[in-house]
Every structure is written in structure tokens, then in C-alpha cells.
């Protein structure tokens, strides 16, 4: 890519959940780009990979979680008057921590 187009091209991929278009990770022109890795958390996203016990992990696959509220998080599901489905879907595994439902791997050497 860099040889064919431009050597200082800022090339990155955004990770987002298609239903809500929430941006979890984003590119930064201030950070290096590593093949196959996303650069950094998006603005205001306190994200981690958790093991099944709810501990943050590096260098191994874990469940993508967000420990703080984010502006684009949905507030409820349709036809879920008491919020039970919503809470079970996103907060049922790790108390008070948003569970994304996908797995991710964060590298300790690049933080990506």
C-alpha cells in the first residue's frame, strides 16, 4: 500500500458495531500504524479485553468491553418496557460494564 500509493499515507480501520454505529477504536495520525492492528481507543472510549472472570487481558483474545458510558450507547431496546432484555444483553455478564458481544486482542507492545 505504502509503496504503491504514498509512503506517508495515514491508513487505518475503524471498529464499530453496525447496529449503533458506535466507534470503539479509531486511527490517529500521531501514532504508528501496525499491520493488522487498530491504533487506539476512540475519543471517550474506555475499552478493554476481558477474560471470562472479568479481568483485563493483553496478548490474548478477550471480550471487548467498555467501562464508562459513551455518548452513542443506546438507552433501551424497543418493546422492552422494563429494560430487562437490554440489561441482560449488555450488562448481564460483567456488572456495570458494557459487554460488546465480540472478541478482541490488545497487544502489550503496541497498545493496539
Amino acid at each position: 500500500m505504502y509503496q504503491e500509493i504514498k509512503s506517508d499515507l495515514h491508513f487505518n480501520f475503524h471498529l464499530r458495531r453496525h447496529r449503533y454505529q458506535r466507534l470503539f477504536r479509531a486511527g490517529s495520525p500521531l501514532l504508528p500504524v501496525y499491520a493488522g492492528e487498530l491504533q487506539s481507543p476512540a475519543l471517550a472510549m474506555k475499552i478493554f479485553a476481558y477474560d471470562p472472570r472479568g479481568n483485563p487481558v493483553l496478548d490474548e483474545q478477550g471480550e471487548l468491553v467498555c467501562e464508562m458510558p459513551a455518548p452513542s450507547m443506546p438507552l433501551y431496546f424497543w418493546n422492552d418496557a422494563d429494560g430487562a432484555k437490554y440489561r441482560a444483553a449488555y450488562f448481564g455478564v460483567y456488572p456495570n460494564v458494557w459487554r460488546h458481544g465480540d472478541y478482541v486482542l490488545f497487544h502489550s507492545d503496541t497498545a493496539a
Side-chain angles (χ1 to χ4, degrees), residues 9-10 16 25 28-29 31 34 36 41 47 56 68 83 86 89 92 96 106:
L9 174 71
H10 178 70
R16 65 184 183 188
R25 308 243 331 145
S28 169
L31 297 172
Y34 297 96
I47 58 173
M68 298 294 292
Y86 174 77
N96 299 314
F106 292 103

Side-chain angles (χ1 to χ4, degrees), residues 20 28 32-33 38 41 46-47 52 58 65 72 74 79-80 88 104:
Y20 308 117
S28 169
V33 175
L38 301 172
K46 188 176 180 184
I47 58 173
L58 293 171
V65 299
S72 59
N79 300 319
D80 182 27
V104 67

Side-chain angles (χ1 to χ4, degrees), residues 49-53 56-63 104-107:
Y50 273 16
D51 68 16
R53 294 172 306 283
V57 294
L58 293 171
D59 301 318
E60 65 182 81
Q61 192 176 52
E63 183 140 22
V104 67
L105 180 126
F106 292 103
H107 298 276

